[in-house]
Each structure stands twice: as structure tokens, then as C-alpha cells.
Amino acid sequence: MNEQELAEAFGLKVRERRKRTGTTQKELAEEIGVTRVYMGLIERGDTSITLAKVYKLAAALNCDVSDLLPPVK
């Protein structure tokens, strides 16, 4: 899996988890300290994010970090 595919798979998992919790992009963005536009970039896999943001996302989505990561092939 290349870097772009990894970012897209991660973004998809974030989007799915966010929708399952009934949270908007804006609400999630505010909770982790980014803009709604940046949150959209994360969900589309159009940007890389720091490990600290990954942990903030997991906490905000009430899940484990591993729940947001695609499986290793």
C-alpha cells in the first residue's frame, strides 16, 4: 500500500466512524483543533496528518487508534 492509498484508507475509516457517531465534520474538526476544510482533506486522503492528530481523532471518535488504521497487507 503506497502513501496515497494509506491516506485514503485512513480517511475512509475516519469518515465511517464519524458518521456512525453522528458527528459533523465541523464538530470533529473543532474537537481536534483543525478547520472543517482540513477535516475534509483528511477524510478524502488528500493530506498527511501527525501522529498526535491521529490520537486526537481516536479520542474524539471514542475508539482505539488501531480502529482507524487500515490492515497491514
Side-chain angles (χ1 to χ4, degrees):
M1 182 175 287
N2 67 38
E3 192 171 329
Q4 181 61 40
E5 292 170 332
L6 181 60
E8 289 171 0
F10 175 79
L12 180 61
K13 286 185 167 272
V14 169
R15 180 183 301 123
E16 289 171 347
R17 177 69 69 159
R18 176 183 61 77
K19 287 185 175 187
R20 233 181 291 143
T21 63
T23 306
T24 67
Q25 276 188 345
K26 184 178 185 221
E27 291 167 337
L28 183 56
E30 288 173 355
E31 193 162 342
I32 69 164
V34 300
T35 66
R36 192 217 44 88
V37 171
Y38 191 70
M39 192 71 241
L41 291 173
I42 293 170
E43 287 189 1
R44 288 191 305 277
D46 289 337
T47 190
S48 294
I49 66 170
T50 64
L51 188 55
K53 291 269 189 283
V54 172
Y55 274 84
K56 284 183 178 185
L57 277 168
L61 294 169
N62 197 30
C63 67
D64 196 63
V65 170
S66 63
D67 295 330
L68 300 176
L69 301 176
V72 176
K73 293 183 179 180

